[in-house]
Amino acid sequence: MRPLLPATLLLSTLAAAPALANKVFVSNERGNSVSVLDSDTWEVIAEFPAGNRPRGIVVSPDGSALYVCASDDDTVRVFDTETYEELRTLPSGPDPELFVMHPSGNPLFIANEDDNLVTVVDVQSRQILAEIPVGVEPEGMAISPDARFIVNTSETTNMAHFIDTTDYKIVHNILVDQRPRYAEFSPDGRKLYVSAEIGGTVSVIDMTGPAPVLADTIRFDVPGVLSEWLQPVGMRVTRDNAHLFVALGPANRVARIDPATDAVTDYLMVGQRVWQLALTPDEKFLITTNGNSNDVTIIDVDRMQPIKSVQVGEQPWGVAVAPD
Amino acid sequence: MPAFFKPVALAAAVLMAFAAHARALEIRIAVLRADAPSVSGLPISRLDLPPPDLGFAGAQLGYEDNQTTGAFLGQTYLLTTRTVAPQDAAASLQALIADGYDKVVALAPHDSLLALSDAAGDAALLLNALAPDDDLRSGACRANILHVAPSRAMRADGLIQYLIWKQWRRVVLISGSHPEDRALADSYRAALAKFQARIVSELEFEDTGGARRTDTGFAQVQRQIPQFTQKLRDHDVIVAADEADVFAAYLPYRTWQPRPVTGSAGLRPVTFHPAHEAWGATQFQTRFEDLTGRRVREEDYQVWLALRVIGEAVTRTGSADPEALRRYALSDAFSVGGFKGQKLTFRPWNGQLRQPILLSDGHLTVSVSPQPGFLHQRSPLDTLGLDRPESRCTAFEPN
């Protein structure tokens, strides 16, 4: 028996190789559902109801739970990533739109657009741990890789607020351009990117000094596209810090930026009104939600080109990929 | 104290410590409403009765939005509001300036606004949140007035672009007999010529006075309007120019031929309305309704936007000086968000805020102009209203 064991192991490893496919969850804002795609075949394998106006979406670090901001239900719904059954709901404060999860999987930091608050919720005890007053219309949420800061962007105040995770107090505010929608740290935590939808820019904030400092502003220019439609929204940075991707909303393009120089190197055509982005765990593929064409575009990161678009539910908004 | 004040107060408390190292700045803004007696008395529909806090409610929300930002920057906003008779407007402005209120949002008709401009001189910056007159953006423009309210031409162009998009090119223009109706009709004629639609007939509805409402008024109207519109040549659509609110609301469903009504009734070009939800406007609506207990009116939105223009300029310049704010607002660096899906900026040649125009049927946003396909070398927004070559304004930067 004994010599067989390694062979069995080997076999199972081999068998597992093609099965490294990940589930991709897409929240459909108008369809009130979540579409599930297989990252190997890029086919839709399920669609399930997710409450009213699902937007922000995130998978727990262990891959077991899917958290969805059901904006019109004023709640966060938690689903089993295998059965798609609703496990529980979490108090979220009114009109939750975007949230970010602590790298440990708990707590959840939620932006409440209607109440000028960031709500901190313990996902186990389902208790609200803190409510932090921020600027008008809080939206984007990010957490620094060392989990020291949460960053919230407020759309009418036009600021990034830096909240200390130990006492939930605002310790810094940085002015950015009009209507900041999304915030994303570089993997090394040295930079914070904030996209400004109406301003049409991405602010690059240097995090290496004693206080965050606005270091650079990335602008976009696509021949034949009115500058008004270049509206940066969702962003992702690859772990190796080689690429920053920025969704440009009604410009129907994703920009690729070289994080070393902050220079835009590529504009990739995707579906209409591209909103949020997610990378597969191996970072070979970038998935974009296209709200007005009801599809997602798959971009091959190595070839730096879109390879496929897949119809999902009505008005896809957010996207999250289950870990390996 | 209502609940909505709490976040502001809390934020202010939390941020005391950080405010300390920022430069303390006080920003005094006044809203001056010079109510002219209505031409026609009461509105046709009681739904349009003006609330007592018309415009001021928008000011309160703009103040709170500005103050939330100010709390993070060590800036304190002060807001005061005044309602005066048109002939007292200038004296009231001088008193406000003496109290340090040198950024003044005006809800004042044409002549009062010009009187305010004379009284302000270099001592204050005026933001026009009401007067739609095109000459204020052209030959009669003033360097100390920025126009947040759109002109009649901007609204007219916004509507007519949609009619062209719909291929409703044969137009009947029905205008009222008051001077502002005639000015509005002129704007529609210009827009129809500019976008190549055709006026097949024109009618004037003469205001003969009399009580606006009687208990059985509908019975007469039902007979009068078909007769009034009976002789019209074949047309696709009616455009009504009735700024005085005398007749347009009676047109829909009552015309001789079944045709859509637009302009002052039916499909109306507006700056904002309470059903508008796109581009984050829902948050504005809920903030406004929580604060005031009523739905937003155009005047409220325009005053809110005027306060946000000031707030944005203060935030970016760190100054409360009216001339510094004016210079920044007119520069390429300035932009402000207004829940219209794109940045709003000023035309440097006449101080007019560029803005999309919503087309509302009173129940929903039907469309937003500029319409697709109407192009401009600078900005599609400059297809609405007086473009640089058309404006005879010389008070601003050299053209």
Side-chain angles (χ1 to χ4, degrees):
Chain A
M1 289 301 284
R2 195 168 276 176
L4 269 180
L5 205 55
T8 316
L9 268 176
L10 186 66
L11 208 67
S12 65
T13 314
L14 280 175
L20 269 179
N22 302 86
K23 281 183 177 175
V24 178
F25 299 96
V26 176
S27 61
N28 301 306
E29 180 181 11
R30 195 181 167 94
N32 291 341
S33 64
V34 166
S35 298
V36 190
L37 282 75
D38 179 297
S39 75
D40 192 34
T41 63
W42 297 115
E43 281 172 10
V44 176
I45 53 174
E47 183 176 341
F48 60 92
N52 287 308
R53 203 174 179 205
R55 292 195 280 178
I57 185 166
V58 69
V59 181
S60 63
D62 66 3
S64 68
L66 178 73
Y67 293 78
V68 180
C69 285
S71 296
D72 283 357
D73 296 337
D74 297 340
T75 193
V76 170
R77 297 186 182 277
V78 188
F79 297 92
D80 185 304
T81 52
E82 289 303 317
T83 65
Y84 314 135
E85 276 169 24
E86 185 171 304
L87 301 172
R88 57 190 178 274
T89 61
L90 299 175
S92 67
D95 198 15
E97 180 163 353
L98 263 176
F99 50 17
V100 66
M101 184 166 265
H102 193 280
S104 69
N106 195 21
L108 201 57
F109 305 97
I110 306 166
N112 298 121
E113 266 202 309
D114 269 0
D115 254 23
N116 304 347
L117 288 175
V118 166
T119 303
V120 187
V121 180
D122 185 306
V123 299
Q124 296 304 325
S125 69
R126 299 160 71 185
Q127 297 298 306
I128 291 178
L129 303 177
E131 289 182 331
I132 307 148
V134 290
V136 181
E137 292 173 42
E139 167 109 6
M141 296 294 299
I143 186 159
S144 59
D146 60 5
R148 205 175 133 219
F149 294 121
I150 322 158
V151 171
N152 163 253
T153 67
S154 48
E155 291 175 333
T156 291
T157 298
N158 301 322
M159 278 183 179
H161 307 288
F162 294 76
I163 301 164
D164 192 316
T165 48
T166 56
D167 58 5
Y168 301 135
K169 294 236 159 68
I170 295 179
V171 286
H172 305 288
N173 298 289
I174 300 262
L175 267 173
V176 293
D177 285 332
Q178 293 288 318
R179 212 166 164 76
R181 294 298 295 239
Y182 200 84
E184 171 94 345
F185 278 95
S186 63
D188 55 14
R190 296 169 67 85
K191 283 182 179 178
L192 172 74
Y193 303 100
V194 177
S195 62
E197 181 187 17
I198 296 295
T201 60
V202 170
S203 297
V204 185
I205 294 164
D206 181 359
M207 298 295 297
T208 56
V213 179
L214 183 63
D216 199 0
T217 302
I218 301 171
R219 294 169 203 284
F220 302 90
D221 180 29
V222 181
V225 177
L226 293 172
S227 63
E228 287 87 343
W229 303 131
L230 297 165
Q231 300 185 352
V233 193
M235 295 184 288
R236 290 290 174 192
V237 191
T238 52
R239 275 190 308 274
D240 59 5
N241 219 3
H243 312 287
L244 163 64
F245 293 104
V246 180
L248 294 177
N252 308 335
R253 282 163 177 83
V254 168
R256 182 267 169 180
I257 289 151
D258 179 354
T261 60
D262 296 338
V264 184
T265 61
D266 299 85
Y267 291 102
L268 309 167
M269 269 303 264
V270 294
Q272 292 172 24
R273 188 197 183 251
V274 55
W275 212 241
Q276 297 291 349
L277 309 172
L279 287 154
T280 51
D282 60 11
E283 302 199 323
K284 287 190 187 318
F285 300 101
L286 179 77
I287 304 122
T288 79
T289 56
N290 312 317
N292 283 356
S293 46
N294 297 335
D295 57 7
V296 298
T297 302
I298 317 302
I299 291 168
D300 183 320
V301 173
D302 288 336
R303 289 159 60 196
M304 204 52 75
Q305 53 180 288
I307 54 164
K308 200 176 173 70
S309 57
V310 184
Q311 287 289 307
V312 290
E314 260 191 288
Q315 292 195 358
W317 196 96
V319 53
V321 185
D324 289 332
Chain B
M1 178 182 264
F4 51 79
F5 280 112
K6 274 186 201 145
V8 178
L10 271 173
V14 167
L15 288 155
M16 281 313 198
F18 307 101
H21 67 247
R23 193 157 54 92
L25 188 69
E26 200 176 72
I27 306 100
R28 295 182 186 225
I29 304 172
V31 180
L32 187 61
R33 205 173 85 187
D35 286 345
S38 158
V39 173
S40 48
L42 294 168
I44 291 179
S45 166
R46 67 184 304 277
L47 297 184
D48 296 331
L49 285 167
D53 62 351
L54 183 68
F56 295 162
Q60 183 63 28
L61 184 65
Y63 159 76
E64 291 191 9
D65 285 355
N66 284 344
Q67 187 52 53
T68 303
T69 306
F72 293 110
L73 297 170
Q75 298 168 344
T76 306
Y77 287 82
L78 296 176
L79 173 70
T80 189
T81 59
R82 299 268 190 287
T83 309
V84 295
Q87 65 272 18
D88 301 330
S92 181
L93 177 68
Q94 272 151 355
L96 285 167
I97 294 171
D99 285 344
Y101 288 91
D102 54 9
K103 277 87 54 192
V104 180
V105 180
L107 284 163
H110 182 276
D111 293 353
S112 308
L113 187 64
L114 289 179
L116 287 173
S117 170
D118 290 340
D122 296 336
L125 174 64
L126 296 172
L127 291 99
N128 169 24
L130 183 76
D133 309 270
D134 289 301
D135 70 323
L136 296 172
R137 285 86 171 161
S138 189
C141 75
R142 298 292 178 87
N144 60 3
I145 305 177
L146 297 179
H147 302 279
V148 174
S151 63
R152 289 193 183 98
M154 291 167 73
R155 290 179 190 253
D157 288 346
L159 176 65
I160 301 307
Q161 283 190 6
Y162 181 76
L163 302 191
I164 298 298
W165 187 86
K166 288 293 295 172
Q167 302 282 7
W168 294 341
R169 287 172 182 270
R170 295 175 305 164
V171 175
V172 164
L173 179 63
I174 306 180
S175 44
S177 56
H178 294 279
E180 63 267 43
D181 302 334
R182 291 189 171 134
L184 183 57
D186 285 343
S187 295
Y188 277 120
R189 281 187 205 100
L192 289 162
K194 179 166 150 186
F195 300 119
Q196 293 170 18
R198 191 158 58 89
I199 298 178
V200 297
S201 298
E202 278 209 43
L203 281 179
E204 187 180 85
F205 189 103
E206 198 187 342
D207 185 7
T208 52
R212 177 59 47 94
R213 299 170 298 167
T214 59
D215 278 356
T216 56
F218 73 91
Q220 272 198 350
V221 170
Q222 186 172 335
R223 286 164 183 277
Q224 284 165 349
I225 298 294
Q227 195 187 5
F228 176 64
T229 55
Q230 187 176 358
K231 300 252 169 70
L232 293 174
R233 272 189 275 171
D234 202 16
H235 57 282
D236 299 315
V237 62
I238 290 171
V239 173
D242 176 29
E243 209 169 281
D245 190 26
V246 170
F247 69 95
Y250 295 135
L251 294 174
Y253 308 108
R254 299 177 184 90
T255 50
W256 185 263
Q257 296 179 54
R259 296 291 179 269
V261 174
T262 65
S264 299
L267 188 70
R268 294 182 306 120
V270 297
T271 56
F272 213 65
H273 69 100
H276 183 57
E277 293 209 82
W279 304 302
T282 313
Q283 279 87 52
F284 176 91
Q285 308 286 5
T286 50
R287 278 211 307 285
F288 184 86
E289 287 160 15
D290 287 350
L291 177 70
T292 63
R294 66 171 174 85
R295 288 177 180 165
V296 69
R297 308 266 291 221
E298 287 191 81
E299 291 87 343
D300 296 308
Y301 172 77
Q302 287 151 206
V303 173
W304 172 84
L305 190 53
L307 263 78
R308 285 292 303 125
V309 165
I310 300 169
E312 195 53 35
V314 169
T315 302
R316 303 289 167 180
T317 59
S319 169
D321 172 57
E323 178 49 28
L325 299 179
R326 177 184 176 278
R327 221 178 308 118
Y328 181 76
L330 290 168
S331 76
D332 288 344
F334 176 85
S335 70
V336 67
F339 306 101
K340 298 274 182 86
Q342 56 179 296
K343 63 179 99 170
L344 312 181
T345 59
F346 281 97
R347 293 178 181 148
W349 61 89
N350 65 357
Q352 170 67 54
L353 189 71
R354 297 182 175 101
Q355 57 198 293
I357 296 291
L358 309 183
L359 301 176
S360 166
D361 64 358
H363 202 61
L364 285 177
T365 304
V366 173
S367 186
V368 181
S369 287
Q371 293 296 317
F374 288 87
L375 303 177
H376 192 279
Q377 70 273 23
R378 195 178 305 105
S379 154
L381 292 177
D382 282 347
T383 65
L384 305 177
L386 290 177
D387 199 0
R388 186 185 291 241
E390 296 155 348
S391 170
R392 288 185 289 114
C393 176
T394 53
F396 285 74
E397 49 133 54
N399 278 341

